[in-house]
Amino acid sequence: MTNNEKNRKSSGALYKTIWRWHFYAGLIIAPFLVILAVTGAIYLFQPQIEQQLYQDYYEVTPIGERISADQQIATVKEHYPEAVVTSYRPGEAETRSSEVGIQLDGVSYTVFMDPYTGNEIGQLKDSDRIMDKIEKIHGELMIGTTGDRIVELVTCWAIVLIITGLYLWFPRKNKGMAGVLLPRFNKGQKILRRDLHAVPAFWVTAGMLFLIMTGLPWSGFWGSNFQNIVTNTGVGYPPSVWTGSAPESITKTKEIADVPWAAENLDVPKSTIQDYRVLSIDNLLQIAEREGIDPSYTIYIPQTKEGVYTFSSFPAKAEDEVTMHIDQYSGAVLADYRYDNYHFVGKVIAWGITLHKGTQFGLVNQLIGLLICIGIVLTSISGFYLWLKRKPSKKLGAPSAPSAKTMKGFLLILIILGVLFPLVGLSLIVVWLIDWLLIQRIPAMKQFFNA
């Protein structure tokens, strides 16, 4: 056999190997990708959707002076004597209602108040909000930790799908842009079906990879470990956020408040217990104004004598994020953690999150995100349709499996991906065991999977 023949054979085996992995990855995760893309597309427009859904709760007519925050909270306590007040949000505009967060029988509610009349507008159970449900489907398929791991596994495997897809898409002969950057409409249905999958997939690849990498920091396994590494290596938040010798606790900020990603592992300080009275919420509003906190902030109210007030501002733009802990007796600022305090990784993640959610650049950001989501759905559907049209009767239609000796380079890539994304590595071991114990030993399965 000549060197040219050996090279052609090796190249052909590699192509079949990558095609086979692309085939399986696509077939298994495509339904989940569609779910993530659809829910993600809806969630991009959360501000507009919630404004329409809850307009009666959100909008108020400014009339005269505002009722104090403490009076509003006192009214809520009268209406819900068994409830524990957990937070207060003053509202970012003159025409916006204020919100009082309460816990009643272990369930979280938001009570909307008219700050000009002091009257309750209404209350919503937090878990009943439609966008909260969309977020739960997007992040954990509404099945908790198991769903979170499935979503993480799908997003990691989507990276395998992208790498293998780019290899299959890459032109091997100089045929111009047709079939590469543009679909061929005059070459018959077979070629058109291939192009309607491969060409849009190429155009959506960069955006899809961006959404995956900016979504992973929220994942329960990879994201939590990444966050711990970032925090422990000091590239998450610097010690300089402490503004005094505040006594620390073992509590993390994410355990007491909904705060920006970079601040989630920030240690919560303790209030110094003195003979002072606990600050009122109106005092906190004055501190927020003095410290120049973005008006979209929420005040989380301490539930213990040593607890602190926490300001959390999670606005549209990453640069406006603020997390601040306040001594509940003296009003001293114990920790002031803003975007400027983030190290490089923290800033990158903060920008990634606001771009992922479509808030950083407003409507333009939302529309770009929507186009990427539509592209993912169309690519998934076209890939599934392509498989159905090519699939032989009573067979899966997978490309034949070459010898492991001919796929050393590709195996190395899979091992690297398995190390970088442990759930991918674990799933590879499971797939290998299924192949070794079942598919290779049962003739019917071996024939069906073309192994």
Side-chain angles (χ1 to χ4, degrees):
M1 184 181 294
T2 65
N3 287 335
N4 286 339
E5 289 173 332
K6 288 181 180 177
N7 290 337
R8 278 199 298 272
K9 187 176 180 182
S10 175
S11 176
L14 179 62
Y15 188 89
K16 284 185 178 178
T17 300
I18 291 176
W19 183 8
R20 186 175 175 85
W21 279 92
H22 185 79
F23 172 84
Y24 280 118
L27 202 60
I28 294 169
I29 73 170
F32 295 101
L33 281 181
V34 171
I35 293 173
L36 296 181
V38 171
T39 52
I42 297 171
Y43 198 77
L44 278 169
F45 295 90
Q46 180 195 19
Q48 292 92 335
I49 293 172
E50 290 204 321
Q51 180 61 37
Q52 288 298 317
L53 288 175
Y54 308 124
Q55 185 176 12
D56 292 341
Y57 292 97
Y58 284 179
E59 294 186 358
V60 294
T61 303
I63 303 174
E65 296 293 322
R66 293 172 69 95
I67 304 294
S68 78
D70 291 304
Q71 283 182 272
Q72 295 175 49
I73 291 175
T75 301
V76 171
K77 286 180 177 177
E78 286 179 14
H79 293 181
Y80 305 92
E82 303 298 323
V84 176
V85 177
T86 56
S87 64
Y88 177 77
R89 185 177 185 276
E92 61 273 42
E94 292 296 315
T95 56
R96 183 68 160 80
S97 61
S98 51
E99 301 176 15
V100 180
I102 61 171
Q103 280 273 335
L104 184 60
D105 297 328
V107 180
S108 297
Y109 294 86
T110 299
V111 182
F112 296 88
M113 300 294 293
D114 186 330
Y116 299 98
T117 64
N119 295 328
E120 178 184 336
I121 299 172
Q123 52 91 0
L124 286 173
K125 187 178 178 182
D126 292 347
S127 58
D128 283 346
R129 293 195 184 202
I130 291 176
M131 297 312 293
D132 279 32
K133 293 183 183 299
I134 294 293
E135 186 181 13
K136 280 191 174 296
I137 295 172
H138 188 73
E140 56 187 42
L141 306 175
M142 297 285 281
I143 51 176
T145 302
T146 302
D148 175 86
R149 299 296 185 272
I150 292 173
V151 170
E152 182 176 331
L153 189 61
V154 167
T155 51
C156 291
W157 266 97
I159 297 173
V160 176
L161 200 65
I162 288 172
I163 293 173
T164 53
L166 281 174
Y167 180 86
L168 298 174
W169 163 87
F170 190 80
R172 285 156 187 77
K173 296 179 182 178
N174 186 16
K175 296 180 178 178
M177 294 299 102
V180 179
L181 301 180
L182 298 169
R184 292 163 289 185
F185 292 96
N186 57 351
K187 296 290 184 181
Q189 290 189 357
K190 187 176 178 180
I191 289 178
L192 181 59
R193 281 196 292 268
R194 176 267 178 201
D195 286 358
L196 289 179
H197 174 66
V199 174
F202 164 73
W203 286 112
V204 82
T205 289
M208 184 176 170
L209 190 59
F210 176 80
L211 291 181
I212 290 169
M213 297 311 297
T214 52
L216 272 176
W218 288 318
S219 61
F221 184 77
W222 190 93
S224 296
N225 284 295
F226 177 68
Q227 194 177 49
N228 288 334
I229 291 172
V230 167
T231 301
N232 293 332
T233 54
V235 295
Y237 69 87
S240 60
V241 298
W242 302 109
T243 55
S245 55
E248 298 179 27
S249 71
I250 57 172
T251 305
K252 303 298 182 186
T253 300
K254 64 183 176 184
E255 296 173 30
I256 63 167
D258 183 16
V259 294
W261 184 89
E264 287 184 343
N265 277 340
L266 184 68
D267 292 333
V268 178
K270 294 179 180 177
S271 291
T272 304
I273 303 175
Q274 300 178 8
D275 293 332
Y276 297 155
R277 291 179 57 190
V278 175
L279 291 174
S280 68
I281 299 299
D282 289 318
N283 293 143
L284 270 294
L285 298 184
Q286 294 168 5
I287 292 174
E289 185 174 355
R290 183 192 73 201
E291 298 295 333
I293 297 177
D294 187 277
S296 64
Y297 68 87
T298 297
I299 302 170
Y300 289 90
I301 300 171
Q303 303 299 319
T304 65
K305 289 183 177 179
E306 294 182 337
V308 294
Y309 283 112
T310 298
F311 286 113
S312 176
S313 182
F314 211 155
K317 295 183 182 298
E319 307 94 291
D320 298 327
E321 293 179 357
V322 179
T323 302
M324 186 180 291
H325 294 302
I326 305 291
D327 187 302
Q328 64 170 305
Y329 304 103
S330 68
V333 177
L334 302 178
D336 184 357
Y337 188 37
R338 310 189 189 213
Y339 176 82
D340 288 341
N341 299 117
Y342 300 175
H343 279 302
F344 175 73
V345 175
K347 289 181 177 178
V348 169
I349 298 296
W351 265 77
I353 287 174
T354 51
L355 287 169
H356 186 105
K357 294 173 68 176
T359 62
Q360 186 69 36
F361 296 112
L363 184 60
V364 173
N365 196 163
Q366 290 174 310
L367 292 177
I368 292 174
L370 177 63
L371 285 175
I372 296 171
C373 290
I374 291 173
I376 293 172
V377 172
L378 293 178
T379 302
S380 301
I381 293 174
S382 62
F384 187 73
Y385 181 67
L386 188 63
W387 168 65
L388 283 180
K389 298 301 290 186
R390 288 181 174 180
K391 186 177 106 47
S393 177
K394 297 182 180 179
K395 285 189 177 182
L396 189 61
S400 60
S403 164
K405 294 179 182 177
T406 63
M407 48 186 282
K408 291 178 182 175
F410 184 67
L411 283 176
L412 180 62
I413 294 174
L414 287 180
I415 290 170
I416 292 172
L417 287 172
V419 172
L420 292 175
F421 306 102
L423 286 185
V424 170
L426 183 63
S427 64
L428 284 172
I429 292 173
V430 172
V431 170
W432 177 75
L433 286 173
I434 292 173
D435 182 73
W436 183 50
L437 295 174
L438 297 175
I439 296 176
Q440 295 296 335
R441 296 167 192 272
I442 302 175
M445 291 187 70
K446 189 171 183 177
Q447 184 180 10
F448 181 75
F449 287 101
N450 204 14

